[in-house]
Amino acid sequence: MTFPVIPFGREFKAKYFSNLDPHVINVNHGAMGATPDCILDEYCKSYKSSQTFFDKYLRYEQRYEYMTQLKEISTKELLNCDFKNLAIVDSATAGVNTVLRSFPFKSGDKIVFSTTTYGACKKLIQFLERRIQIQPIVVDIKYPASEEEVVAAYETKFQEPGIRMCLMDAVTSVPGARIPFEEITKLCRKYKILSLIDAAHGIGLLKISLLDLKPDFFVTNLHKWFYVPKSCSVLYVNPEYHRVIQPLTISHQYSDEDVSLSTNELEQMRFFDAFQFTASRNKASIACITSAKKFRNETCGGEETIAKYCYELAWEAANHVTTKVWKGSSILNTKETATALINVEVPVQDLIPEVDINEIAPWLPQVEHEICIDYNTFVPCFFYEGKVYIRFSCQIYNELDDYIYAANAVSETFKKFFANIDKFKATPLCGSAFLTVEAFDKIS
């Protein structure tokens, strides 16, 4: 049989992602993910089944289901680890919170992170700095940068005294760039620094072996690139820290870290048990891990087939836009840093020559809103190192035409939105990430 069963692109979308609005051009898969119809069907089936006798499901069946699905995700072809070192959390950000808010930091402990660390995680470090006086140590990364330059920048910071932990991405959000997290994790071991990898863009996008990687902490979303329904992510914790890391919601299975359990078997399941039962949450998405794995293997042709299509489409889209749509524009990524996420420069001075590019950044959330409402697509726009970029996410239901459409939507919106220069005399109607309620009232 030739894989995929149906060619990737628009035809594949119509067959397997029919819940996506056919009039919407989704070029931002990496932000929220999307779930194939057959996996959504499994989600609904699982949820309905749990409701038929919820006491039985919650008290007995859920534990078996939870264990079974973690075993599926821990196999050699996926995370390659012992399932007893895994827990389900709502998101990668929730996983990072779980680790950093459980860990017994002391005042003055230093945490390394970078200028490209996900914004929500930066806020968490800001919270810890205020609450327990940890010291943030920032690695300044400027793309385009080689792997060697990124590794060297981290190592320079690691040589400072008192570094307790390093929070690193696997693939950064803005700009979308793969970082050499494998080499940085090795450096963490060399300098006796704990490693926490935020692989929000991880499983389904990258090849990962935790057995080889040997991080202290690792979290990855299943609802982004792996097609599991939201909200479902996996947290890995080195067994050495099973007694330390607790779920954000402390529940019945909590035990103090200095209490020894009665048998070795119970001790080995301490971490699993603490996370498995945290009250009557909807966990139907967990039951879909097997279905997602099956769909990716049997319908799509496996991880390598999916990755090849998405990676190649990313380069094709970026090259086409920078040579045909926006001639002379640049691609921020190199081959080392590109995945199915790729960043393309917006030629602001060609589109709106009368506007100072340095005044644009506060208005970009409103530009995104206009694109979303007027063109039925969402294109992340961001200001970086003196330029405006957009980020494309490429998925098996996309084709090149989707990115041409998105780039043209950006062009038209920039021209229309910035035509009224008087707007710069007002305050932008946006926050740091999303439009405020007041902004929607005024511009929707």
Side-chain angles (χ1 to χ4, degrees):
M1 182 181 292
T2 302
F3 285 111
V5 175
I6 291 177
F8 290 151
R10 197 165 291 112
E11 186 180 355
F12 195 89
K13 176 182 176 181
K15 174 68 175 177
Y16 296 109
F17 288 86
S18 68
N19 282 284
L20 293 176
D21 189 329
H23 302 295
V24 170
I25 306 300
N26 187 10
V27 296
N28 191 34
H29 176 96
M32 308 298 177
T35 304
D37 302 346
C38 61
I39 302 174
L40 279 176
D41 290 343
E42 183 64 27
Y43 175 87
C44 294
K45 178 182 174 183
S46 173
Y47 184 76
K48 289 177 69 176
S49 176
S50 72
Q51 302 304 301
T52 60
F53 190 175
F54 196 72
D55 268 299
K56 180 182 177 184
Y57 169 75
L58 183 66
R59 297 173 186 275
Y60 312 115
E61 294 175 346
Q62 185 191 88
R63 179 178 170 82
Y64 176 77
E65 179 179 82
Y66 191 96
M67 184 183 299
T68 300
Q69 296 299 325
L70 285 184
K71 286 180 178 178
E72 287 280 9
I73 212 72
S74 67
T75 54
K76 187 175 181 179
E77 66 270 26
L78 292 177
L79 292 183
N80 192 24
C81 65
D82 186 338
F83 83 93
K84 293 189 289 295
N85 299 330
L86 301 178
I88 300 291
V89 292
D90 287 342
S91 66
T93 303
V96 173
N97 269 266
T98 299
V99 173
L100 293 186
R101 296 179 73 174
S102 286
F103 196 83
F105 290 111
K106 297 177 182 177
S107 176
D109 282 346
K110 297 177 181 178
I111 299 179
V112 172
F113 65 102
S114 81
T115 48
T116 55
T117 293
Y118 187 53
C121 296
K122 289 180 181 177
K123 291 289 187 180
L124 172 57
I125 292 174
Q126 181 183 336
F127 170 84
L128 293 173
E129 181 183 13
R130 186 171 183 85
R131 289 297 178 93
I132 58 175
Q133 290 74 55
I134 63 100
Q135 293 186 30
I137 304 297
V138 183
V139 181
D140 188 14
I141 304 295
K142 290 183 173 63
Y143 289 102
S146 68
E147 288 188 346
E148 291 77 11
E149 289 170 330
V150 172
V151 171
Y154 274 88
E155 185 163 23
T156 297
K157 296 298 183 181
F158 287 175
Q159 292 169 8
E160 293 189 21
I163 305 292
R164 193 73 190 274
M165 187 180 292
C166 173
L167 167 62
M168 71 191 89
D169 295 283
V171 177
T172 55
S173 173
V174 178
R178 189 192 196 285
I179 79 164
F181 61 94
E182 300 95 338
E183 293 303 315
I184 298 169
T185 303
K186 289 179 184 177
L187 281 179
C188 285
R189 289 197 293 274
K190 174 182 175 181
Y191 287 94
K192 295 180 172 53
I193 295 168
L194 296 174
S195 56
L196 167 54
I197 302 173
D198 177 1
H201 303 281
I203 189 168
L205 180 69
L206 306 175
K207 188 171 179 58
I208 296 164
S209 170
L210 294 177
L211 186 65
D212 297 322
L213 185 58
K214 297 181 178 65
D216 293 296
F217 311 102
F218 176 95
V219 63
T220 187
N221 288 321
L222 301 182
H223 56 249
K224 284 184 182 279
W225 300 93
F226 200 69
Y227 308 148
V228 171
K230 304 169 187 64
S231 300
C232 191
S233 305
V234 173
L235 170 66
Y236 166 88
V237 172
N238 181 323
E240 184 177 346
Y241 301 101
H242 281 189
R243 290 186 171 215
V244 174
I245 303 304
Q246 299 290 343
L248 290 176
T249 302
I250 300 298
S251 192
H252 295 289
Q253 297 287 50
Y254 171 77
S255 60
D256 290 332
E257 61 186 85
D258 57 354
V259 172
S260 294
L261 301 182
S262 58
T263 68
N264 186 52
E265 288 76 17
L266 287 174
E267 190 64 52
Q268 287 182 357
M269 297 299 287
R270 174 193 290 262
F271 178 73
F272 176 91
D273 287 334
F275 281 81
Q276 183 267 319
F277 186 86
T278 53
S280 51
R281 292 176 55 244
N282 174 17
K283 295 184 178 179
S285 57
I286 298 171
C288 300
I289 293 172
T290 297
S291 298
K293 187 175 176 180
K294 181 178 179 181
F295 176 80
R296 295 171 71 85
N297 286 331
E298 297 183 6
T299 303
C300 303
E303 299 300 314
E304 290 184 7
T305 302
I306 296 169
K308 183 175 186 295
Y309 181 85
C310 296
Y311 281 43
E312 289 180 355
L313 180 58
W315 273 110
E316 182 185 17
N319 282 322
H320 185 95
V321 169
T322 55
T323 59
K324 300 290 198 308
V325 182
W326 296 331
K327 294 180 181 179
S329 182
S330 65
I331 301 170
L332 184 60
N333 300 82
T334 64
K335 287 288 186 180
E336 290 178 332
T337 64
T339 58
L341 287 172
I342 201 162
N343 311 279
V344 174
E345 179 193 358
V346 179
V348 173
Q349 291 176 324
D350 293 338
L351 298 174
I352 44 173
E354 68 278 14
V355 176
D356 184 348
I357 193 169
N358 295 303
E359 295 180 318
I360 283 177
W363 299 89
L364 293 180
Q366 284 176 236
V367 172
E368 292 173 336
H369 174 266
E370 298 287 324
I371 295 169
C372 184
I373 300 304
D374 293 346
Y375 292 94
N376 280 338
T377 188
F378 188 88
V379 188
C381 304
F382 59 97
F383 190 79
Y384 185 72
E385 295 297 315
K387 296 181 179 181
V388 175
Y389 292 91
I390 58 173
R391 189 193 73 184
F392 286 149
S393 294
C394 297
Q395 195 41 249
I396 55 177
Y397 53 74
N398 289 126
E399 295 182 359
L400 175 61
D401 286 351
D402 295 339
Y403 302 95
I404 297 172
Y405 176 87
N408 285 325
V410 171
S411 293
E412 293 307 309
T413 303
F414 264 78
K415 291 174 184 176
K416 183 170 56 177
F417 186 85
F418 291 105
N420 182 5
I421 302 301
D422 289 340
K423 286 182 179 179
F424 289 108
K425 297 177 182 178
T427 300
L429 302 172
C430 60
S432 60
F434 299 100
L435 292 176
T436 63
V437 173
E438 293 79 7
F440 276 113
D441 288 342
K442 292 180 181 179
I443 67 176
S444 292

